């Protein structure tokens, strides 16, 4: 089974910094930075797309050679047939790669014991405003 979803956020304002290492600001990859986020999850890329839930979690800059985020992401569904269910993603997000693959390690409700993977890519990014739309294709067993 698979599902296509979009996460919309502003890269300048979507996350709250909660910690950093003493050397984070000196690191070209921001090694040690930890952020928390809570973003909208929609059916499509348009601004008027139906909201189906929230994407909540944290990421931490974990790469020394390239920007790579250790990402813990919960897709929490709040409407439709998946209302009350969630998918849990935990893995490395190499943000400069055109397509990133991360594992689905579990879920709740309709997705209980889910296993699979997510292929994510940037659908839209505005460098000036920071507005970003991440397109995710999820396949689970």
């Amino acid at each position: 089974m698979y599902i296509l979803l979009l996460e919309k956020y502003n890269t300048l304002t979507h996350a709250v910094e909660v910690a950093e290492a003493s050397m984070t600001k000196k690191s070209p990859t921001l090694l040690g930075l930890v952020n928390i986020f809570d973003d909208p999850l929609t059916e499509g890329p348009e601004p008027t797309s139906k909201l189906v839930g929230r994407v909540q979690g944290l990421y931490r800059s974990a790469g020394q050679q390239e920007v790579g985020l250790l990402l813990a992401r919960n897709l929490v569904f709040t409407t439709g047939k998946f209302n009350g269910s969630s998918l849990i993603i935990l893995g490395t997000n190499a943000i400069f790669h055109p397509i990133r693959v991360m594992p689905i390690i579990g879920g709740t409700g309709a997705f209980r014991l889910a296993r699979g993977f997510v292929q994510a890519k940037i659908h839209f990014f505005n460098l000036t405003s920071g507005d970003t739309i991440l397109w995710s294709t999820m396949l689970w067993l």
Side-chain angles (χ1 to χ4, degrees), residues 12-117:
L12 304 176
T13 62
H14 89 114
V16 176
E17 182 179 324
V18 295
E20 68 178 44
S22 59
M23 54 81 68
T24 296
K25 290 195 178 4
K26 297 175 191 165
S27 168
T29 63
L30 297 175
L31 182 68
L33 180 68
V34 180
N35 287 295
I36 303 291
F37 61 89
D38 181 4
D39 300 325
L41 183 64
T42 64
E43 286 183 338
E46 300 79 21
T48 57
S49 292
K50 181 181 176 186
L51 183 70
V52 296
R54 305 294 300 174
V55 182
Q56 300 168 330
L58 62 89
Y59 64 87
R60 139 170 226 273
S61 183
Q64 290 188 35
Q65 305 306 105
E66 70 173 332
V67 178
L69 305 177
L70 174 58
L71 181 67
R73 191 161 73 169
N74 296 315
L75 284 69
V76 181
F77 294 86
T78 57
T79 63
K81 67 181 181 177
F82 299 128
N83 185 24
S85 298
S86 66
L87 279 168
I88 302 161
I89 300 162
L90 177 65
T92 301
N93 182 2
I95 64 172
F96 293 119
H97 293 198
I99 296 178
R100 284 96 68 189
V101 179
M102 294 163 276
I104 296 172
I105 63 166
T108 64
F111 305 116
R112 187 178 327 147
L113 300 176
R115 295 288 185 264
F117 64 92

